[in-house]
Amino acid sequence: MLAREKATKYTSIEYEDVKVTVFGDTAIATGGSKIKGTAASGKPLDEHVRWTDTWLKMPNGKWQCVASHASPVKM
């Protein structure tokens, strides 16, 4: 996955409907993204996804993403 992401060339990413809810030292972020560019395969990339990220506040005070999920949206 990391190699694929490094090889992907993004020309634009538009975030939409981003919401963050904090529960003590845990935060849940949800939103959508419209992504354009060139995929690692060399094919054009034009995606719309909804995503959820879970963040934890670490002992050093920094926030770290500990789980992430994205699902494609039919256009």
Side-chain angles (χ1 to χ4, degrees):
M1 180 183 148
L2 292 176
R4 184 184 71 226
E5 286 300 315
K6 286 181 181 180
T8 300
K9 305 296 180 204
Y10 298 98
T11 56
S12 68
I13 300 177
E14 179 183 330
Y15 294 100
E16 59 188 17
D17 195 31
V18 176
K19 294 181 180 147
V20 179
T21 304
V22 178
F23 304 94
D25 288 343
T26 303
I28 306 296
T30 60
S33 299
K34 292 181 180 176
I35 304 163
K36 293 187 180 194
T38 305
S41 65
K43 294 181 181 179
L45 180 64
D46 187 2
E47 294 181 342
H48 187 193
V49 298
R50 294 288 305 168
W51 48 265
T52 301
D53 292 341
T54 302
W55 294 79
L56 290 180
K57 192 170 190 180
M58 305 309 287
N60 64 6
K62 294 184 180 183
W63 287 90
Q64 181 173 336
C65 185
V66 295
S68 184
H69 172 78
S71 294
V73 174
K74 300 267 184 184
M75 299 202 308

